[in-house]
Amino acid sequence: MKKNPFVSYITKITFFSIAVCFLFLFGAFFIPKPYFSANIPYYIVMFYAVTVLGYASVYFLPKKSKMKFEHIFLLTKICKFFIYIVVLVVMFLCSIEKNTKFAITYLVIFAIYQVFDTITLTSMVKNMKK
């Protein structure tokens, strides 16, 4: 029986997010403390949720709306990038994160999730063309 691609994606990103949490947990032993925050798990949950919503919109909207896949793809990428930047700016403006070295860690999490998102969306597009 063939598995639903969206359920498969949820499974992949869940295990991926758990692996990222463990990566940062063990990285905290080797990397200096100013690069880490106690809030990192919350940021990973935010990246998880935004990535799932982006994938859901790219997966479901082309089937139900008249917009082309390319437009939905670009729109979700821009919205996700805007959300990530707004959260980072709010964290610094509200003094939740006081250390600017944390921005490096935030950008590393951003890059990790963007690579995962790009790989999974590329495989989804290949499967759609078949």
Side-chain angles (χ1 to χ4, degrees):
M1 186 158 133
K2 191 172 182 181
K3 195 172 186 183
N4 185 344
F6 189 70
V7 173
S8 175
Y9 178 78
I10 296 292
T11 305
K12 285 178 191 176
I13 195 166
T14 300
F15 286 119
F16 178 76
S17 295
I18 291 170
V20 169
C21 282
F22 279 115
L23 175 75
F24 278 96
L25 174 70
F26 294 124
F29 293 120
F30 304 109
I31 299 173
K33 187 171 172 85
Y35 291 96
F36 286 95
S37 166
N39 297 328
I40 285 181
Y42 300 113
Y43 298 127
I44 292 174
V45 169
M46 179 205 57
F47 277 95
Y48 174 86
V50 171
T51 305
V52 167
L53 288 175
Y55 186 87
S57 65
V58 169
Y59 183 74
F60 291 117
L61 286 179
K63 297 175 184 176
K64 297 184 180 189
S65 70
K66 295 181 181 182
M67 289 179 69
K68 291 183 179 181
F69 174 81
E70 295 83 10
H71 296 135
I72 294 171
F73 174 78
L74 287 174
L75 187 63
T76 56
K77 285 289 187 182
I78 291 169
C79 289
K80 285 169 51 175
F81 185 70
F82 183 72
I83 289 169
Y84 297 146
I85 294 298
V86 166
V87 168
L88 183 62
V89 168
V90 167
M91 291 299 133
F92 283 124
L93 289 179
C94 294
S95 297
I96 295 171
E97 298 296 340
K98 296 175 176 81
N99 190 349
T100 55
K101 291 182 180 179
F102 173 76
I104 295 171
T105 306
Y106 189 84
L107 292 174
V108 167
I109 297 171
F110 170 76
I112 290 171
Y113 273 90
Q114 287 303 314
V115 168
F116 176 81
D117 190 40
T118 302
I119 291 170
T120 53
L121 284 175
T122 303
S123 67
M124 181 184 81
V125 169
K126 286 180 183 176
N127 290 337
M128 286 174 52
K129 290 182 179 181
K130 288 183 181 179

